[in-house]
Amino acid sequence: MAWKQRARMACGLALAGTVAACGGGGNDTPATAAPEQNNTGPGGAASKKVLLVGVDGATYSQLQSAMAQRSLPNLATLAITPAATGGRLGTTTEQVPLNGPSWATVLSGSWADRHGVTDDVAAAAGLKAPSVFQYLRGASTTAGTARLRLGGATSAPLLPALLKADVAAGNLDSLRDCNADDNCVTQETVKLVQSGYDVVFAQYTAPDAAAAAQGFQGGGYATALSGFDQALGKLLAAVQARRQANANEDWLVAVTTSHGLDATGATTTLPTVQNRTAFVALNKPFNAALASNLPPAPANATALSALPTEADLLPTVLAHTGVAVPAASYKLDGSALTGNVGVRALSSVVGAFNASLLLSWQNPTTAGGDMALLRDGVQIATLPAGTTSYEDKTLNAPASGIYRFNYTLVRNGVPASMLAQINYVKPIVLADTLRNNLSAYYSFETLPATDSKGTTTIGPWVPGTDGGSLGGDNFGGKSLKVDSRIDAYQLTQSGADIALAPQFTIGFWFKSDCTQGNGTGEPILSNKNYVSGSNAGIALGLFGSCEIRFNIGSGGKRDDIQGMKFSANQWAYVALSINATAKTFSAYIIDPVLGLQKTENKAIANTDVTKLNGLATKVWGINDDATHAYVPNNSGALKGVMEFNDLAMWTRQLSLAELQTITGSRQPLSTLNP
């Protein structure tokens, strides 16, 4: 198969006498095993050992089917639960469901905002966060106990790159690059287990290669999955032989996959529930929060967010081996899946006026006492056991800017951390110039919504089918929530069409959970037939991973500004500014987490600016395009809820400084009495 011809990793990872030379296949010289040492504790206490097994392409749904057919007898001896990968959507933890970021999470217990592996290409730079091997090596060195022997054998070419810092630092005694040869992985792993290694990592690729070649059909995938199970059986047999020969050895066996695959067996970067569903299997009982074995696959993003994650594997290994990371220095995004239960789904959103952070979490079980909350290693609060949220109003940042804080919540003695980010804004004065050339403005304090300038109207497309409702805005007032599953909204101009003005700016506060965002996209605001971006008119579209794309076209030709993102469930300010005379356009997103993103004065190289009025109906679709038929016209597009506030149109270009007063003043435009 083509996957067997993958390029081998460079041979710069070798450590003399301990790490195998580069080269693929089971014919490579195996890593030299260090002499076995006595790693028992005082008084002959159990020697804690770990076998961590990873496999690419073993999706949870296919695994369930195979288990039902009893074709995975070795995996069936373990307790299995679905698990989440990909971080939390719409946050700085979000990462694409690819092998590099996923294995980085397994090995580091953290998401991309800590480990830095954003895609498979970035894996070549290695981990930016400590790995499980660094934690284990450091713990045994600090404690003065016998040196743990740590090793592994990997099939995927990117794994040696991820671990190259550990190899260079001596955190691994043996790392075999089997270069897409799973038989080599099995042979080498069995040798490491037999020779008494304390922690062994084995990683396989055959199911992923089979799915890439033939999908789930044709029998190749089922054969590869069964082959992996047979390999796992050999590893489990080696562990059992060790236990029979060494009664004091206590082995943790953990098995996981990198990420899910889509319904065809393909790997894509789309953050779907399928792609972000992995699994974890243990030979030990899961803790009380995960009592059931082989439960149904998560049906939606909410169910997925409540599951354990791949970031929990490293804490589970540390807990088994007795390595305790103090809460003051805990920087792991997971917690152990065995023993006591801490919190789950620790997350943050930015509070009002970009001045605080609102933390929230789930308490899967009861707690034996109060919880301790730390920020950057310093305890800032003691919370009752049933608490599920906390607002940190004591950030005291010295100036406006992006800040990161490591929060650690300790419950039942179990820490869990997250890296929260905020675009902190010190209050400034709302620019009075924002009154100038303001042609339309909606504060959305009531419904039906009223334009304070009287030049436009906003309402449902179909009278009597109203998808609009009032929500809470970021100023303590109201906002417009448009649920296109009921009906989208339209904005109709009664005067001159703003899209034909020599200069104009459209700006508004925007909020979404990003669930409508996928590869097809969904219009946020559009005056065109958006079935093609080249069609005449303007569109702001929501796409996957909370991306907003700014598109203008004139029929067969188009210009775009892409790649700008906002944070899910947070109020971000969005603005599009066009200078038809100079033939330039600018786009801005000012996000409470990500800060300012901008593309200014980009040349309108293709679009005829005289056709920016789109369908020439003076109608803009809100959560739809101007045809009111975007979803039926675009297969795969999704309906859902979008939220708007302070929607305004100006017949001039606003400066960045003016826009920044909108986000920095902590005041709505209505305070200017426009």
Side-chain angles (χ1 to χ4, degrees), residues 553-578:
S554 56
K557 297 182 178 180
R558 60 187 288 178
D559 293 276
D560 297 277
I561 295 174
Q562 299 185 4
M564 297 169 64
K565 295 187 176 184
F566 66 98
S567 299
N569 300 309
Q570 298 264 212
W571 283 106
Y573 197 79
V574 179
L576 172 67
S577 181
I578 293 181

Side-chain angles (χ1 to χ4, degrees), residues 409-616:
L409 189 58
V410 183
R411 190 173 194 264
N412 288 329
V414 179
S417 293
M418 67 158 299
L419 193 60
Q421 183 169 302
I422 181 173
N423 177 35
Y424 182 81
V425 177
K426 282 193 171 291
I428 56 178
V429 177
L430 187 64
D432 189 67
T433 55
L434 292 167
R435 304 171 190 250
N436 300 342
N437 296 87
L438 182 64
S439 65
Y441 171 66
Y442 289 88
S443 64
F444 296 124
E445 294 303 309
T446 60
L447 286 181
T450 302
D451 177 3
S452 68
K453 309 304 289 185
T455 63
T456 66
T457 58
I458 280 182
W461 283 86
V462 179
T465 307
D466 193 347
S469 63
L470 292 175
D473 70 10
N474 45 333
F475 303 111
K478 300 298 182 181
S479 64
L480 171 65
K481 298 176 71 171
V482 179
D483 188 343
S484 59
R485 294 169 299 186
I486 301 172
D487 192 21
Y489 259 41
Q490 62 175 319
L491 182 151
T492 304
Q493 303 172 89
S494 56
D497 195 329
I498 192 170
L500 294 180
Q503 296 182 8
F504 62 92
T505 300
I506 301 171
F508 52 92
W509 289 97
F510 181 69
K511 182 177 172 183
S512 167
D513 64 6
C514 297
T515 56
Q516 287 177 265
N518 60 16
T520 305
E522 175 67 19
I524 298 170
L525 186 69
S526 176
N527 69 348
K528 69 191 300 181
N529 177 357
Y530 201 23
V531 72
S532 168
S534 297
N535 285 341
I538 301 168
L540 282 66
L542 170 60
F543 285 79
S545 299
C546 293
E547 179 190 359
I548 295 180
R549 299 180 184 178
F550 302 80
N551 162 253
I552 58 176
S554 56
K557 297 182 178 180
R558 60 187 288 178
D559 293 276
D560 297 277
I561 295 174
Q562 299 185 4
M564 297 169 64
K565 295 187 176 184
F566 66 98
S567 299
N569 300 309
Q570 298 264 212
W571 283 106
Y573 197 79
V574 179
L576 172 67
S577 181
I578 293 181
N579 187 329
T581 303
K583 294 188 177 180
T584 60
F585 69 131
S586 304
Y588 305 87
I589 298 178
I590 306 178
D591 186 88
V593 177
L594 304 175
L596 170 66
Q597 298 164 79
K598 63 176 182 176
T599 298
E600 293 189 296
N601 299 317
K602 181 177 181 178
I604 300 176
N606 304 304
T607 303
D608 181 351
V609 295
T610 67
K611 297 181 180 179
L612 292 179
N613 60 337
L615 296 179

Side-chain angles (χ1 to χ4, degrees), residues 26 87 98 104 126 332 502 513 625 641:
L98 295 175
L332 298 173
D513 64 6
D625 68 7
V641 178

Side-chain angles (χ1 to χ4, degrees), residues 243-310:
R243 294 179 64 187
Q244 290 175 349
N246 302 272
N248 66 311
E249 290 186 358
D250 180 12
W251 281 83
L252 168 70
V253 178
V255 184
T256 191
T257 191
S258 50
H259 57 82
L261 304 174
D262 70 12
T264 69
T267 294
T268 73
T269 59
L270 293 178
T272 63
V273 171
Q274 278 183 313
N275 290 344
R276 296 171 59 239
T277 299
F279 75 88
V280 173
L282 300 180
N283 70 331
K284 302 281 186 180
F286 286 113
N287 58 31
L290 300 164
S292 62
N293 182 34
L294 212 64
N300 50 53
T302 300
L304 183 67
S305 68
L307 292 176
T309 75
E310 289 186 334

